[in-house]
Amino acid sequence: GNSVTQMEGPVTLSEEAFLTINCTYTATGYPSLFWYVQYPGEGLQLLLKATKADDKGSNKGFEATYRKETTSFHLEKGSVQVSDSAVYFCALNRLGSNDYKLSFGAGTTVTVRA
Amino acid sequence: DSGVTQTPKHLITATGQRVTLRCSPRSGDLSVYWYQQSLDQGLQFLIQYYNGEERAKGNILERFSAQQFPDLHSELNLSSLELGDSALYFCASSVDLNTGELFFGEGSRLTVL
């Protein structure tokens, strides 16, 4: 079935450091890929998405590129802030399939220190 | 604010009891999803409804049930509660079925003592 694997955390960084969170996926067909973020005490919210190969999703300084050849969708940010401290989830959804649910990775906890 | 409302925010109960969690989706969203988030198992998909009909089932225990009502709100019923059911239960909604753009509520934290 469809699944995503993301790097285990926790990840601790200093402010202005570069952040990368690895995500790889397994799916038949052509899934859409997503990054969700969960800030402390809140529900998940969509951070960015990409619906086809070579698409780049971006939001709030975060970027991720849909790489079909490596089945990856790594999240990057060039200069993190304390406010980026959160749990980040990679997810996939196969458009048009009977598998309606969104499959999430295990989540990566990121802590940014001032 | 995602527009998804969940009640109650916190719930403490005893083993063997039954609880009901309620979710009001965003205005206009027809699809409702329930997820369970625990420390050891991460975010687990439980069940999805679309316009009142069950459309997908995940790792939902037989002791759990859900439904979506004509006004599109949804309830998740958890019965014969066990200590291991303690978790954060999220409701999410979306406009249609095949989208990955879900809007999550703030969750209902269930503690079973």
Side-chain angles (χ1 to χ4, degrees):
Chain A
N2 299 342
S3 66
V4 291
T5 302
Q6 59 182 108
M7 62 182 280
E8 292 185 14
V11 174
T12 302
L13 303 164
S14 297
E15 229 173 1
E16 299 182 6
F18 185 84
L19 170 67
T20 298
I21 304 176
N22 290 340
C23 171
T24 57
Y25 68 89
T26 302
T28 54
Y30 305 97
S32 296
L33 301 171
F34 306 83
W35 278 100
Y36 277 77
V37 59
Q38 184 180 25
Y39 297 105
E42 299 183 12
L44 281 73
Q45 53 186 275
L46 180 64
L47 180 59
L48 53 84
K49 68 173 184 177
T51 57
K52 60 184 188 298
D54 299 325
D55 264 3
K56 178 186 281 190
S58 62
N59 186 26
K60 298 183 180 180
F62 289 89
E63 290 183 342
T65 301
Y66 188 159
R67 303 278 189 208
K68 193 166 185 290
E69 64 276 12
T70 55
T71 63
S72 66
F73 193 54
H74 305 321
L75 183 68
E76 297 181 336
K77 185 173 185 180
S79 177
V80 294
Q81 306 299 313
V82 172
S83 56
D84 294 324
S85 298
V87 183
Y88 293 83
F89 294 89
C90 185
L92 70 79
N93 183 55
R94 194 154 65 94
L95 195 64
S97 74
N98 289 324
D99 188 13
Y100 295 122
K101 66 181 187 290
L102 194 62
S103 297
F104 286 92
T108 302
T109 300
V110 173
T111 302
V112 180
R113 294 182 175 166
Chain B
D1 182 4
S2 67
V4 177
T5 303
Q6 288 188 248
T7 57
K9 288 194 183 333
H10 301 276
L11 192 54
I12 301 174
T13 189
T15 54
Q17 295 298 303
R18 172 191 167 96
V19 298
T20 297
L21 309 180
R22 182 188 168 99
C23 170
S24 294
R26 279 190 332 155
S27 175
D29 284 359
L30 298 178
S31 196
V32 169
Y33 310 73
W34 286 97
Y35 285 84
Q36 178 194 57
Q37 186 178 42
S38 59
L39 283 175
D40 57 343
Q41 297 207 342
L43 196 63
Q44 298 288 317
F45 169 73
L46 297 179
I47 199 163
Q48 179 197 12
Y49 284 85
Y50 179 79
N51 204 20
E53 291 186 11
E54 181 186 307
R55 296 309 297 261
K57 222 169 189 177
N59 302 321
I60 187 166
L61 300 171
E62 284 191 10
R63 300 184 285 109
F64 296 0
S65 66
Q67 55 182 327
Q68 186 180 28
F69 294 88
D71 66 353
L72 301 177
H73 91 271
S74 178
E75 293 182 355
L76 179 66
N77 300 297
L78 316 174
S79 62
S80 302
L81 285 168
E82 301 175 0
L83 296 177
D85 297 327
S86 296
L88 197 50
Y89 291 84
F90 283 109
C91 171
S93 71
S94 66
V95 170
D96 56 29
L97 276 173
N98 285 339
T99 177
E101 298 190 48
L102 273 55
F103 294 85
F104 281 79
E106 293 186 354
S108 293
R109 182 169 293 283
L110 173 66
T111 303
V112 182
L113 301 176

